[in-house]
């Protein structure tokens, strides 16, 4: 379907009318949105609503116009985004695993072809497999460390609670210092000793 849809009016079978889709019209800023299933009728910024042919659009034309659903509906993400260190480790692991699979495939093809490259490729595939295992374990370890430091882990060994406590204490001290400074400013420095 294009930006316009052609249909015939039931009263006038010979005259074809043109209606435009609502998302191609100039938006009427400041006007309340129409209810789903109904078309907006009334005046825009320049007076009554105009039909594409140049005439004033009647209320029955507006009612006949079909309601278009939006192309997509935004939904909230099911899972939260991974923390940055964990994402970095995951991307690194995916790249290493991909390279390992490519090397293993090349080693297999070189072996089948009887090429001299088969031996070095097999050796490099073994080394890459070890690296890939390390990369996957690194993702898991990084996630566990991040959860211990920043996550809401209720296990007794979690350092997250202690770090939160320290941050709270620092914030309280900062707030009390700011309040004291504000108090001194309000008094106009009356309580301060002068150096004269």
């Amino acid at each position: 379907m294009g930006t316009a849809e052609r249909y015939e009016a039931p009263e006038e079978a010979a005259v074809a009318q043109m209606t435009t889709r609502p998302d191609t019209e100039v938006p009427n800023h400041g006007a309340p949105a129409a209810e789903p299933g109904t078309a907006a009728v009334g005046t825009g910024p320049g007076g009554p609503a105009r039909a594409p042919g140049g005439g004033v659009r009647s209320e029955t034309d507006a009612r006949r116009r079909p309601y278009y659903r939006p192309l997509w509906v935004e939904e909230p993400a099911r899972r939260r985004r991974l923390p940055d260190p964990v994402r970095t480790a995951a991307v690194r692991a995916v790249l290493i695993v991909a390279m390992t699979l490519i090397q293993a495939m090349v080693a297999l093809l070189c072996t089948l072809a009887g090429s001299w490259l088969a031996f070095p490729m097999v050796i490099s595939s073994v080394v890459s497999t070890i690296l890939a295992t390390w990369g996957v374990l690194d993702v898991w370890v990084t996630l566990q460390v991040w959860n211990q430091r920043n996550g809401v882990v209720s296990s007794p060994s979690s350092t997250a609670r202690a770090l939160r406590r320290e941050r709270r204490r620092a914030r309280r001290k900062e707030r009390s210092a700011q309040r004291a400074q504000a108090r001194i400013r309000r008094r106009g420095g009356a309580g301060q000793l002068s150096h004269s």
Side-chain angles (χ1 to χ4, degrees):
M1 213 188 279
T3 58
E5 186 177 270
R6 204 175 267 282
Y7 69 90
E8 297 208 356
E11 312 79 60
E12 309 161 4
V15 180
Q17 294 182 347
M18 186 76 94
T19 60
T20 57
R21 281 177 33 184
D23 58 350
T24 59
E25 293 178 352
V26 178
N28 185 4
H29 299 291
E35 287 290 317
T38 63
V41 179
T43 60
R50 298 268 176 214
V56 177
R57 197 183 319 158
S58 68
E59 200 173 317
T60 55
D61 281 346
R63 273 203 209 108
R64 243 185 268 131
R65 205 164 106 209
Y67 169 72
Y68 288 96
R69 290 185 324 177
L71 289 175
W72 65 84
V73 177
E74 288 190 25
E75 295 176 1
R78 289 185 189 138
R79 291 175 55 180
R80 270 187 286 153
R81 174 180 158 143
L82 283 173
D84 284 340
V86 181
R87 288 179 76 226
T88 306
V91 168
R92 191 186 316 126
V94 165
L95 290 175
I96 293 171
V97 168
M99 286 301 297
T100 303
L101 290 172
I102 291 170
Q103 280 184 330
M105 182 60 69
V106 170
L108 177 71
L109 293 175
C110 287
T111 305
L112 291 174
S115 172
W116 62 272
L117 266 176
F119 182 70
M121 288 308 294
V122 168
I123 297 298
S124 69
S125 297
V126 170
V127 172
S128 290
T129 304
I130 294 166
L131 280 175
T133 307
W134 169 82
V136 172
L137 281 174
D138 182 46
V139 175
W140 183 74
V141 169
T142 308
L143 182 62
Q144 296 304 316
V145 168
W146 194 90
N147 280 338
Q148 280 288 315
R149 289 186 182 159
N150 308 302
V152 188
V153 181
S154 58
S155 59
S157 61
S158 174
T159 56
R161 252 193 238 101
L163 285 170
R164 262 190 247 116
R165 236 178 266 133
E166 286 171 22
R167 280 191 223 118
R168 255 185 257 127
R169 272 190 216 120
R171 264 186 260 134
R172 269 191 225 119
K173 281 182 186 174
E174 196 177 313
R175 266 188 252 125
S176 61
Q178 286 174 351
R179 268 187 249 128
Q181 288 294 323
R183 220 177 292 126
I184 290 169
R185 267 190 245 113
R186 272 197 307 270
R187 289 182 189 160
Q192 291 180 342
L193 295 172
S194 63
H195 293 291
S196 57

